Structures are given as C-alpha cells and as structure tokens.
Amino acid sequence: MFEVIIAVGVLLLLVILYTLFRIGTLVNVVKGTDKKIVSTSNKVNAALMLIFLLAGLTFMFWYSWTYFDKYTLPVASEHGMLTDQLFWITTAVTGVVFVLTNVLLFWFGYKYQYKEGARGKFFPDNTKLEMIWTVVPAIVLVVLVFTGLQAWNDITDEASEDAEVIEVMGYQFAWAARYPGVKDNQLGNYNYQLIDDQAGNLFGIDVTDENSYDDFTPLELHLPKGKEVLLNIRARDVLHSVFLPYQRVKMDAVPGMPTRFKFIATKTTQEMRDETGDPEFNYFLTCTEICGRGHFSMKMTVVVDEIEDYEKWKAEQQTWLKLNPDFLEQIPADKRELAKIKAGIENNELEASF
C-alpha cells in the first residue's frame, strides 16, 4: 500500500511540473517573447488535424464495410422494409453532410493555421449563402420527417377486422402474452385492481366479461406469417419498451396508457434459421427501456408459424380459466355454465380440481 502511495505521489509531482512548464510557455507566447514555439506548435497541430481526419474517415469506412452484416439484421416484416429504407436514406443524407463538414472543419484548421503577418478577411454576411444553408436543410428535413410520419401513422393506425389481436404486458422483470380464445376471437376486459399474482391473475382479467372465458396465456409469443397482427401493449408497473428487432417493432409500454403496434411477419422461424444458417435461431422479444435491476432478464421467445400451424397451436392451448378454476366462483352464477363451455372445463375435471 505504501508503494502505491509513493507511485501516486510521484505521478502527481510530474503532472504539477509539466503544468508549470506549460504555464511558463504560454506566458512567453502571450508576451510575444517566444514566436518560435508558436510557429512550431501550430505546424504540429495543423498536421495532426489532417492525420486525425484521414485516420478517422478511414476507420469509419473500414468498420462500416467490414461489420455491415453484424449490425444489420435481416428484415422479417412488411413495414420493416420501408423503415429500413427510410433509415438508410436518412443515414446517407446525414452521412454525406457529416463527412463534408468534417473535411472542411479539419482542412480549414490546417490551411488557416497561424502564420506571421497573415491577416484574416473581414466577411460580415452573405444573404444568398445563408438562405441556401437554411432553406436546403429545411426542405430535406421536412421530406424526411413527413415520410417517417406517414410510416408511423400506418403502423399505429386501426388494424383490419381480421387482424390477430394479441396483448403483451411488461412487468418487472418479464413479459406476458394473452390471446383471445378460438371460441370468440375476442380478448376479455381487464382491470388493474384485479391483478393478483398469488392467485394466478397476472393480467387482472375481469371474469365477469364473457370474452375472457376462453383467453389463454402461453409462455411464448407465437405469430402467424402473412397475417396482420395487432399488439395491444401495456405495462403493469414502470415504463418498459417492446422490441422485436427482426420484425422492426418497437413501442413503449406505459403504465396506465395502452399503446399498440400493427405489423405483418414475413418469415417463419424455420425460414429465418435457413437464411441465417443457424439451426438454433429464435426470434425474441426484449425490453429496451431501463426498468430496474432485472431489466437484462426481460426476454421472451417469439415463434413465427405458417398460418395453419399457428391455428393448430392456438387450438391446443389450455384456457387461462381452465388452468385457474378457482376463479369460477367469481363468475356470476348465470354465466358459469357458459364459462365452463368456453373454457373447455368438464364437470369431472372441475370436481377433481377441488
């Protein structure tokens, strides 16, 4: 420990001595007594600016070309093609401006370095030039914003009548999905005051609503290929964010404010496995909003099926009410028989559960 203190003390002493040296140099520069230092320092800094410019641009283009496939995921939805196209158009426009402005920035630093006797030109204003660099970017930004807004309005608009409606709920720290049953194809109502994890009512399902009797809550999120899907999104506690990277789906899950996102998946899980050459590939749903200490664990497996396989999978799922028969007691007496029929509960199964 003593050796560490000595090493730190020596390092601080060197920093202090170097700082004093620099202060002395700068004082001489300000006094004009050491013009040689000014000239040499400016030449070195000017040359370093060009070196930094060339090295930075070279690394940027090399990295973008070499690792393009690493950060560009395959697209697996219809709207994803449009959003990717808008993204690359925006990247191209801003990329050209970025390269141009930085080349000029560093070149000017080199070209107009300090030279004894040199005098800057007085250039107060240029109305034409100012109009150009104001109007042109404004037009470009308006076009980019309105094309993006059009795409956004489309994916958040009302879904078609035959769309597959799925509820996705985020909570610390997991995702849960709820599907309408095959009997009525309608999601039942929910009430946050009915949420009871210990009793099994994770969603706060309202059992007085007839549409809830055949709803089911699987452990995986299944999606049909080629059919419009509407995700009804909500959060149970804090702010979360639904993210399906391959489907280009991203929407905040906000407590007390349901959101939605509609899309059409275009590639099944098996097709993506064939495309990527990875037999263990799986789509996934993750959270992109830091929501607490367990944020990293908020991941859910997503399976995209052909429509026939998807409908078969739905028909095989057990209803939430069948898995939680205790809630039958909360159903009005005149609706219990209907509830058992829609939930697929046989009387002998009910007697066995009690």
Side-chain angles (χ1 to χ4, degrees), residues 171 174-179 202-203 216-222 285 299-303 313 317-318 323:
Y171 63 99
W175 293 103
R178 182 164 68 107
Y179 288 72
L202 180 67
F203 284 86
F216 62 92
T217 57
L219 299 178
E220 294 181 333
L221 181 65
H222 280 244
L285 163 63
K299 200 170 184 179
M300 187 181 197
T301 300
V302 177
V303 180
W313 171 81
Q317 302 305 303
Q318 293 190 2
L323 296 174

Side-chain angles (χ1 to χ4, degrees), residues 243-257:
F243 184 41
L244 297 167
Y246 292 90
Q247 284 76 28
R248 305 301 194 265
V249 173
K250 189 176 186 298
M251 177 64 72
D252 283 349
V254 185
M257 189 180 78

Side-chain angles (χ1 to χ4, degrees), residues 76-80 154-160 163-166 168 221-233 242-244 246-251 260-267 283 285 302-304:
S77 67
E78 286 189 0
H79 80 275
D154 180 60
I155 59 183
T156 57
D157 199 4
E158 294 287 343
S160 58
E164 193 71 18
V165 181
I166 305 170
V168 174
L221 181 65
H222 280 244
L223 304 172
K225 173 189 172 183
K227 183 178 181 181
E228 188 173 78
V229 173
L230 175 64
L231 292 184
N232 286 335
I233 302 167
V242 170
F243 184 41
L244 297 167
Y246 292 90
Q247 284 76 28
R248 305 301 194 265
V249 173
K250 189 176 186 298
M251 177 64 72
R260 65 189 182 195
F261 197 112
K262 67 174 184 177
F263 65 100
I264 298 176
T266 56
K267 298 176 184 177
Y283 292 116
L285 163 63
V302 177
V303 180
V304 180

Side-chain angles (χ1 to χ4, degrees), residues 20-240:
L20 292 174
F21 170 76
R22 289 295 299 166
I23 291 174
T25 301
L26 292 173
V27 169
N28 290 331
V29 169
V30 172
K31 290 180 178 179
T33 59
D34 203 340
K35 295 183 178 179
K36 183 177 180 181
I37 293 177
V38 176
S39 178
T40 303
S41 176
N42 273 275
K43 288 180 180 179
V44 171
N45 288 330
L48 287 175
M49 283 191 171
L50 287 184
I51 293 173
F52 183 82
L53 171 65
L54 295 175
L57 291 178
T58 301
F59 177 77
M60 182 188 74
F61 287 115
W62 169 82
Y63 185 91
S64 300
W65 178 269
T66 305
Y67 294 99
F68 181 80
D69 293 336
K70 297 292 185 181
Y71 59 79
T72 306
L73 299 178
V75 185
S77 67
E78 286 189 0
H79 80 275
M81 301 294 292
L82 175 60
T83 54
D84 272 19
Q85 182 182 17
L86 292 175
F87 171 80
W88 288 116
I89 291 174
T90 303
T91 301
V93 172
T94 55
V96 169
V97 175
F98 172 81
V99 171
L100 179 61
T101 53
N102 277 274
V103 168
L104 293 175
L105 175 67
F106 286 96
W107 170 250
F108 280 14
Y110 172 80
K111 181 176 177 58
Y112 298 106
Q113 60 183 282
Y114 170 79
K115 293 179 183 179
E116 189 175 356
R119 293 292 181 268
K121 294 181 179 179
F122 182 67
F123 198 73
D125 63 79
N126 187 318
T127 304
K128 183 178 180 181
L129 184 60
E130 291 177 3
M131 287 295 294
I132 291 175
W133 72 39
T134 301
V135 174
V136 172
I139 293 174
V140 173
L141 287 175
V142 167
V143 172
L144 292 176
V145 168
F146 274 93
T147 51
L149 183 61
Q150 185 178 7
W152 175 257
N153 289 336
D154 180 60
I155 59 183
T156 57
D157 199 4
E158 294 287 343
S160 58
E161 293 184 0
D162 62 342
E164 193 71 18
V165 181
I166 305 170
E167 183 181 58
V168 174
M169 182 182 69
Y171 63 99
Q172 294 177 312
F173 294 99
W175 293 103
R178 182 164 68 107
Y179 288 72
V182 294
K183 297 287 197 309
D184 57 23
N185 201 33
Q186 294 286 331
L187 277 172
N189 293 330
Y190 66 85
N191 187 331
Y192 75 94
Q193 294 178 322
L194 300 175
I195 293 175
D196 188 343
D197 287 352
Q198 293 183 348
N201 197 353
L202 180 67
F203 284 86
I205 297 174
D206 183 1
V207 293
T208 63
D209 181 14
E210 298 179 6
N211 292 327
S212 69
Y213 300 154
D214 61 345
D215 291 354
F216 62 92
T217 57
L219 299 178
E220 294 181 333
L221 181 65
H222 280 244
L223 304 172
K225 173 189 172 183
K227 183 178 181 181
E228 188 173 78
V229 173
L230 175 64
L231 292 184
N232 286 335
I233 302 167
R234 64 185 175 109
R236 206 179 73 172
D237 35 43
V238 299
L239 189 66
H240 301 283

Side-chain angles (χ1 to χ4, degrees), residues 307-319:
I307 292 182
E308 298 79 10
D309 296 329
Y310 175 76
E311 294 297 335
K312 180 181 178 182
W313 171 81
K314 283 183 63 177
E316 294 172 349
Q317 302 305 303
Q318 293 190 2
T319 62

Side-chain angles (χ1 to χ4, degrees), residues 270-281:
Q270 186 57 51
E271 288 173 337
M272 188 58 77
R273 287 175 178 175
D274 295 338
E275 180 176 332
T276 60
D278 181 7
E280 297 183 357
F281 172 88

